[in-house]
Amino acid sequence: MPRDLRTPQMLTDGFGRQVNYLRLSVTDRCDLRCTYCMAERMTFLPKRELLSIEELAKLVNAFIDLGVRKVRLTGGEPLVRHGIMSLIEALGREVTSGRLDELTLTTNGTQLSRFASVLADNGVRRINVSLDTIDPEKFAEITRRGRLGQVLKGIEAARAVGLQVKINTMALRGFNDAEIPDLVDWALERGCDVSFIEVMPMGEVRSDDRLGQFWPLGEVRTMLEQRLILRDTSFSTGGPAQYCDVEGTNQRIGFITPMSNNFCAGCNRVRVNCRGELFTCLGREGSRDLRPALRESASVLDVQDAIRAVLMCKPKGHNFDYGAGEVAGAVSRGMNHTGG
Ligand code: SAM
Ligand code: SF4
């Protein structure tokens, strides 16, 4: 029977997991240099290697036809990609038409003052802003650039146009341990949920730094419970965070525990980067280049066939492990290359 492009299909991997969530990294470039993510001196992809905005839109449409319902733009910093608003407008139309349930992004917040209202006008309802500290000196240390004021203004601009802002914070032992309660209070006062994330061994960062930074989130939760009442909830935004309601507020705190509590069995996502590489797993080296199918074939069916084939090679999960005092299963690709 011929395949009808307008009939949404179901994308499943070789383990029967349904994939309905696309994370698209639109650039590997960034205006910050977070120490756990990038080196100070980076070699970025030559611009000629990047998919154009039109190719990115075509790619997302191929995924939507395969049943993807949620798209998150990420990077690098998605809001420094030239022409990004044209892509947001194109994808916003897919939200309006009902072909997408959600269009969202993960950003460092530096460009939000410029772009928040355009995001809100184009179907974006919620965004994640990564923020590991609200101390200006520590922010300059961790990002190697500073610009905390610009980020905080960006968060206010986003809230002012009605975007729901979730703060994503890396739990970094020896860096923001003492500050976590203040950061949580700061976010809750602004009506923002907070998700904590465990640091993963990705990219060329010295392994003893990784081990030193790793802070299991069970310990973070115990620390927070000394002053907040947290109640487990089944609430989900479709990602791996385990959420708790914070008693006395309308807010939640989420815990994303790739290292201390593996959640790969429920993986529902696929990652593609700005070069058109589809990664079978955040924590594995496997990928397939979708550019030939995107550029050389007039038919979107060829792109879809390539996507389906590579998803059958999706591994069961990552192999990251900090056990025995060593870093195992690290991947050489940085988070900015894969898309966080
Ligand atoms: N620049 C944007 C930002 O910072 O939100 C989007 C890209 S960034 C790579 C996405 C997320 O990945 C950020 O929340 C960042 O903290 C996280 N991240 C970066 N390196 C990581 C690592 N090694 N382990 C865990 N999360 C990491
Ligand atoms: Fe840039 Fe985000 Fe990586 Fe920080 S975490 S260097 S903001 S891409």
Side-chain angles (χ1 to χ4, degrees), residues 325-338:
E326 284 175 16
V327 175
V331 292
S332 56
R333 255 183 1 242
M335 197 67 141
N336 70 306
H337 183 77
T338 316

Side-chain angles (χ1 to χ4, degrees), residues 23-296:
R23 294 176 74 104
L24 181 64
S25 171
V26 295
T27 177
D28 61 337
R29 292 168 193 252
C30 186
D31 51 351
L32 302 181
R33 292 286 184 279
C34 301
T35 55
Y36 51 78
C37 178
M38 290 196 190
E40 168 66 77
R41 297 171 73 82
M42 292 290 296
T43 307
F44 292 112
L45 293 169
K47 292 205 171 123
R48 64 176 181 281
E49 289 211 13
L50 304 191
L51 296 182
S52 66
I53 294 294
E54 293 71 26
E55 287 169 333
L56 289 168
K58 180 178 172 187
L59 184 65
V60 174
N61 266 296
F63 277 101
I64 294 174
D65 286 335
L66 286 171
V68 159
R69 303 290 308 171
K70 172 172 173 177
V71 174
R72 177 178 300 277
L73 303 182
T74 179
E77 173 46 42
L79 294 180
V80 302
R81 169 75 199 252
H82 191 64
I84 186 65
M85 286 303 138
S86 306
L87 182 63
I88 301 261
E89 283 164 14
L91 301 184
R93 287 194 286 276
E94 303 299 344
V95 176
T96 310
S97 73
R99 290 201 335 131
L100 262 188
D101 291 336
E102 183 166 28
L103 170 64
T104 184
L105 68 163
T106 296
T107 171
N108 64 25
T110 59
Q111 309 301 316
L112 277 176
S113 295
R114 276 168 71 200
F115 292 129
S117 60
V118 192
L119 295 176
D121 288 346
N122 285 282
V124 177
R125 297 286 163 258
R126 303 181 311 129
I127 57 172
N128 289 352
V129 180
S130 303
L131 183 65
D132 304 323
T133 171
I134 48 172
D135 176 309
E137 280 177 23
K138 289 180 91 70
F139 188 84
E141 178 191 335
I142 198 82
T143 64
R144 299 198 189 93
R145 293 290 183 274
R147 306 187 188 150
L148 176 64
Q150 199 175 319
V151 171
L152 298 183
K153 273 195 197 133
I155 291 172
E156 288 318 310
R159 293 178 58 227
V161 296
L163 292 174
Q164 220 177 305
V165 176
K166 178 161 76 76
I167 303 296
N168 274 357
T169 300
M170 300 287 299
L172 297 167
R173 200 193 286 281
F175 175 72
N176 56 8
D177 349 21
E179 199 201 336
I180 293 295
D182 290 345
L183 184 67
V184 167
D185 288 349
W186 175 88
L188 297 181
E189 279 162 19
R190 283 160 182 76
C192 299
D193 291 352
V194 186
S195 280
F196 291 102
I197 310 171
E198 292 172 344
V199 70
M200 291 177 273
M202 302 188 63
E204 308 295 333
V205 174
R206 283 176 34 214
S207 63
D208 38 336
D209 289 349
R210 283 282 183 240
L211 287 174
Q213 286 171 332
F214 173 55
W215 189 11
L217 292 185
E219 294 180 21
V220 177
R221 180 171 175 160
T222 303
M223 183 182 83
L224 290 173
E225 283 179 325
Q226 288 168 12
R227 41 196 303 283
L228 298 171
I229 297 177
L230 304 181
R231 299 204 190 285
D232 287 328
T233 158
S234 57
F235 172 84
S236 168
T237 58
Q242 294 285 326
Y243 283 96
C244 303
D245 289 327
V246 183
E247 195 175 271
T249 76
N250 291 323
Q251 267 56 68
R252 298 182 197 91
I253 295 181
F255 299 94
I256 304 175
T257 55
M259 305 304 306
S260 65
N261 189 11
N262 185 303
F263 43 70
C264 297
C267 188
N268 63 346
R269 60 194 53 199
V270 61
R271 289 183 159 84
V272 180
N273 76 356
C274 53
R275 192 155 61 168
E277 290 168 293
L278 190 164
F279 298 103
T280 53
C281 174
L282 175 69
R284 296 290 197 103
E285 302 285 355
S287 68
R288 159 115 182 232
D289 187 358
L290 297 178
R291 268 181 314 179
L294 260 177
R295 287 187 174 164
E296 289 156 25

